[in-house]
Amino acid sequence: MRLNPPAPFIWSPRQPIDPRGQLADPRGRGARKEKPNRWFLFRRVVTLSDVPTKAELSITVDGRYVAFVNGSEIGRGPVRCSPLFQRYDTWSIDSHLQIGVNAICVLIHTYGVDTAFYEGVKGMWNPVFGEGGLWVDGQITTQSESQRLISDRAWRCIETHAWEQATPRINHGLGFIESLDANLLPDSWLEPDFDDAAWDEAQILQAGGGGPEAFFGGLEVKPFPTLVPRGIPPMRYGLEGAKRVVWIKGQRPDPSLPIERRLYEEALLVGAEDAVSDPKGLLKPEQTNVTIKTTSEQDVSFLLDFGRIITGRPRVSMIAKGGEMIEIACSEHLPGEWDPAGLTADVRLTRTPLLGLDAHICRYIARPGEQIFERFEWCAIRWMQVVIRNAPDGVTLTGLGAKTENYPVDKRGSFTCSDPFLNQLWATGAYTLEMCMHDGWEDCPSREQRQWLGDATVENLVGWAAFGPSIVPLNAKFLCQAAESQRPDGLTQMFAPGDHHTDRLLIPDWTLQWILNAGDHYQHSGDLATIETILPSIQKALAWFERLLADNGLIPNMPYWHFMDWAGVGRHGFAAALNAQLVGAWKVAAALCEACDMGRAAAAYRARALKAQTALHDLHWDERRGVYVDVLDPATGKQELRVSQHANAALMLWGEMPDSRAASAIARITDAARLTFTAAPPIANSGETLDPESGVVLANTFYSHFVYEALAERGELGAAIELMRARFGPMLARGATTLWESFEPTASLCHAFSASPTWQLSRRVLGVHPLSPGYLSIGVAPNLANLDHASGVFPTPVGDVHVELTREADGFLARVQGPAGTALHMMTAAGLRHISGDLIANSDGFAQARYRRASQG
């Protein structure tokens, strides 16, 4: 416990404090808004008389920062968070310190608008201080002394206009186009001997006080009163270059065009190859030497291909004369990329405003000498178009590429089998997820970078198959941040934190997905502490749904956006898929309540689940067709004809569908002749026409996860694999290196909720799963399906489980090696019979057993 008082927040004194700002709302003034897209430099010097033995620096800002010690970058942050639960980072800095004078420096970007990853303050201390704030609290220990380093008036600061402030945003959810003129940055501001005497002395963000008789009883106002550790490890960084130069062309300059249009709209010209001294050198992220010259009539443009989508910051190192302009646009797609004819010779990046699929663009104006430019924000990069301007005497590139950034996963999981397609699909899914993991689970790294609650259900499970327990901190943070977003009525936001604006569009079934995720999290990690933290929020969320229940225990006509999937599933009236998912959430809540010694609540949730699933079976079963229908009219009780994979899979998974009905339902929803890819604008703008009598709505990439789960649970893993092959096969055959948001390339081309096959192959073929929370006892229920062989590793918190399956004449042999001393049980997957061999692994963790199909006797 610290005896020192907490460090204050500080900010520029040029942003005045309004001591009575708390009264802004009562006076009708509303929130205080500063100009958006501002950049600030903060620095403080520290003098040491001895070699540091230990030094740590905790830091957070309102916005995002890069921190430096003596010119070396020590960290970036903060991680995405709600301002009511502001996260801070702690960095070790002793290796960067020296005897004598040291410079601690921070570059801060304040957004002034909510983004997909940043959430500003609405009221509270905002009317008093406005936007912005820096908090530092550290300790430096040497052999002879110890000193505290905090945010106080010893810091100097200045607002810098090196970044153009009036640039537009990249799209509706992300930040601003970055345009940096390095000539306007103070030279050597990161160095200890920089003279910052002309900078402002920082002001402490504090107002009010004065004792019990003072105004409002001495009310003291300080920003961000609740600070929380970041909760996840630092990101992993690297350098990566492009794989090929697509073309080099001239580009006719038109300075009249604004920054968001210029690179895209200027005419391309033939014959600029000679302006680049070494085209192959453009593929090297460092240690290259490429001179590029422009003319007054012709800039130089080139298009690079990184081979697959990566995530990182465009990075260029150079030796410049000064004044050269480099514009860089990065995108995950090119026009015509997925057309049968392929790319044309003159293909270039284009603006695609629909859904925010614009390329990520930035501009840098060089100062004289050696320098490195890195974009402040990371983005998705498959294609990079670079335009060099104002370089008549030549600019020398010494490196070009990207500084990659990803969550630091442990790549312990693996899967291989006799089918090359499934091997590729497993690996592609794992890679897709990795590109959607940073300081949160993200739906996609290009268009949004939002942490959607439903996406995380699939992402968490895929993460276990590919990366094991290294994902636990990320998912625990997600679960807590979803709870932190909860509205007074109980619904969570559909994504959090970020620009949800509290009362805008909502997806109630995403709240249910969050609860399902909590159940998975506890089973795989054994992390009861996180469950105890969020369980009151889970109960409050379920109370919102319970207020909508009809007498039969089902919800009719759920309000807000009933998403479920990018498919034409029936959503109105008594909707089977939604209500079955609610049944599943009640069952998860019951299990979590039991884990937290709340037996009475658990019993109540189980009773609600039983009532609802009974009603679903009574009302939605179509005896004539042998399948469950999507929708029932609450007023008349009449069934509608529409049938979907969604409703039937949901009832199998969560509604305890009777075996007598499951066979005919499975036959219908796996019949390729019936499956219909329906339109779901704006992601799937066109689709096939559904015949309501005989057709079945096909699950798109997201809800396919639950279809695969349901089929495997019912002993139909082979059917699930065939569905994967039918839909993901064409995607990979067309050259996809990441999995798309939809089965057609109409939206995001790297979308982690589509990666379910990675989980299915590890969980269902290898068969590894927890029998008790945290894998303290392990079950292995292998299923070779129609494969000749399969093997892989499933990582768990207690160690890796290695599985090897080999086809035999009358079945298959399973050899399993788990962690020594762990209770490992050989189980029997649905549809199979255990023929011979071990039921429990020996003390070394090894077991061997033989299985065959139950139908073989």
Side-chain angles (χ1 to χ4, degrees), residues 412-624:
R412 288 165 47 186
S414 65
F415 177 86
T416 57
C417 70
S418 53
D419 186 337
F421 162 72
L422 295 180
N423 298 338
Q424 183 185 5
L425 184 59
W426 189 97
T428 304
Y431 182 77
T432 300
L433 177 63
E434 188 181 1
M435 294 304 104
C436 297
M437 297 173 67
H438 295 83
D439 63 344
W441 297 117
E442 294 132 4
D443 59 338
C444 54
S446 181
R447 184 182 74 220
E448 292 191 40
Q449 302 174 11
R450 287 189 176 95
Q451 186 168 246
W452 291 83
L453 272 63
D455 299 53
T457 303
V458 179
E459 291 172 325
N460 177 51
L461 293 175
V462 175
W464 274 102
F467 311 127
S470 65
I471 70 163
V472 170
L474 190 67
N475 199 62
K477 175 175 169 288
F478 156 76
L479 290 171
C480 291
Q481 290 187 318
E484 292 163 6
S485 80
Q486 193 166 39
R487 306 187 330 163
D489 64 354
L491 272 183
T492 60
Q493 302 300 328
M494 58 187 183
F495 57 83
D499 54 346
H500 50 71
H501 305 304
T502 304
D503 294 319
R504 61 177 270 176
L505 198 60
L506 293 161
I507 303 179
D509 43 297
W510 256 207
T511 296
L512 298 178
Q513 291 288 350
W514 165 64
I515 297 171
L516 297 174
N517 182 310
D520 294 334
H521 180 83
Y522 177 55
Q523 284 301 310
H524 289 277
S525 70
D527 175 16
L528 188 59
T530 296
I531 299 304
E532 290 174 329
T533 298
I534 67 172
L535 187 54
S537 297
I538 289 176
Q539 293 186 281
K540 185 176 181 179
L542 288 171
W544 182 88
F545 291 91
E546 290 155 10
R547 287 191 288 271
L548 302 177
L549 295 175
D551 290 342
N552 61 8
L554 302 178
I555 293 178
N557 295 312
M558 186 190 70
Y560 304 117
W561 182 13
H562 185 168
F563 172 70
M564 301 306 293
D565 190 24
W566 293 118
V569 58
R571 296 172 169 87
H572 57 283
F574 287 122
L578 166 74
N579 281 288
Q581 195 166 297
L582 176 58
V583 169
W586 274 325
K587 291 179 178 180
V588 166
L592 297 180
C593 284
E594 284 189 342
C596 296
D597 299 322
M598 298 169 59
R600 181 179 174 186
Y605 288 133
R606 287 205 169 89
R608 292 186 187 105
L610 179 60
K611 181 177 181 179
Q613 76 181 34
T614 300
L616 285 166
H617 293 310
D618 290 344
L619 300 175
H620 285 262
W621 176 250
D622 183 343
E623 183 68 35
R624 176 177 64 86

Side-chain angles (χ1 to χ4, degrees), residues 64-316:
R64 277 188 167 172
Y65 73 85
V66 186
F68 306 86
V69 174
N70 294 330
S72 297
E73 180 181 322
I74 62 164
R76 293 173 176 259
V79 296
R80 65 182 70 199
C81 57
S82 161
L84 301 182
F85 301 87
Q86 183 71 18
R87 300 272 175 154
Y88 68 88
D89 311 300
T90 299
W91 309 111
S92 175
I93 64 171
D94 47 273
S95 63
H96 300 283
L97 295 172
Q98 62 191 12
I99 296 175
V101 180
N102 297 266
I104 316 296
C105 302
V106 188
L107 166 65
I108 302 174
H109 184 205
T110 64
Y111 293 91
V113 295
D114 286 3
T115 73
F117 49 78
Y118 168 76
E119 189 175 321
V121 181
K122 314 297 187 299
M124 296 172 288
W125 60 87
N126 165 274
V128 179
F129 307 115
E131 293 156 344
L134 165 66
W135 177 84
V136 174
D137 198 341
Q139 196 80 22
I140 300 175
T141 303
T142 71
Q143 294 179 350
S144 58
E145 62 177 339
S146 179
Q147 59 175 297
R148 193 176 176 206
L149 174 63
I150 66 171
S151 40
D152 56 17
R153 290 190 176 91
W155 288 76
R156 314 290 290 189
C157 60
I158 189 172
E159 181 175 1
T160 176
H161 298 285
W163 281 265
E164 184 181 348
Q165 187 175 11
T167 57
R169 294 178 65 179
I170 293 168
N171 62 27
H172 64 279
L174 300 181
F176 296 87
I177 291 175
E178 294 175 29
S179 179
L180 169 61
D181 186 344
N183 298 282
L184 300 180
L185 269 177
D187 191 33
S188 303
W189 77 277
L190 299 174
E191 302 304 322
D193 57 358
F194 175 77
D195 183 3
D196 57 17
W199 290 21
D200 295 323
E201 178 186 287
Q203 72 172 342
I204 292 177
L205 299 185
Q206 182 175 336
E213 290 79 21
F215 187 76
F216 270 25
L219 171 66
E220 192 173 67
V221 183
K222 299 178 181 179
F224 303 102
T226 303
L227 296 178
V228 182
R230 65 181 279 134
I232 60 174
M235 296 298 103
R236 178 177 292 156
Y237 300 98
L239 286 180
E240 188 161 340
K243 301 301 183 285
R244 69 183 176 107
V245 179
V246 182
W247 50 250
I248 300 173
K249 297 179 183 293
Q251 188 153 327
R252 182 176 293 121
D254 184 356
S256 68
L257 291 172
I259 188 172
E260 69 272 21
R261 294 171 50 195
R262 186 175 179 186
L263 178 144
Y264 306 116
E265 296 182 16
E266 291 174 333
L268 293 178
L269 309 170
V270 179
E273 291 84 353
D274 293 343
V276 180
S277 65
D278 178 14
K280 292 184 178 180
L282 299 174
L283 306 179
K284 297 181 179 180
E286 55 185 350
Q287 296 182 346
T288 190
N289 193 307
V290 182
T291 299
I292 301 175
K293 291 184 178 182
T294 65
T295 68
S296 58
E297 294 81 23
Q298 184 170 281
D299 296 330
V300 176
S301 182
F302 49 89
L303 180 64
L304 304 177
D305 177 8
F306 280 72
R308 60 180 180 174
I309 294 172
I310 64 171
T311 59
R313 295 178 179 82
R315 182 182 191 273
V316 55

Side-chain angles (χ1 to χ4, degrees), residues 312-334:
R313 295 178 179 82
R315 182 182 191 273
V316 55
S317 57
M318 71 194 82
I319 303 171
K321 305 295 188 299
E324 297 90 339
M325 179 184 291
I326 297 94
E327 289 184 350
I328 303 174
C330 300
S331 180
E332 66 170 19
H333 70 104
L334 278 178

Side-chain angles (χ1 to χ4, degrees), residues 566 675-679 684 686-689 698 700 727 742-744:
W566 293 118
L675 295 181
T676 307
F677 181 80
T678 52
S686 61
E688 303 160 336
T689 301
L698 175 78
N700 210 325
R727 292 297 164 173
S742 178
F743 289 124
E744 288 296 317

Side-chain angles (χ1 to χ4, degrees), residues 835-856:
I835 302 303
S836 64
D838 302 317
L839 294 176
I840 301 176
N842 62 25
S843 60
D844 292 330
F846 179 77
Q848 177 174 293
R850 286 181 166 83
Y851 299 88
R852 67 164 66 113
R853 290 191 179 93
S855 59
Q856 291 180 270

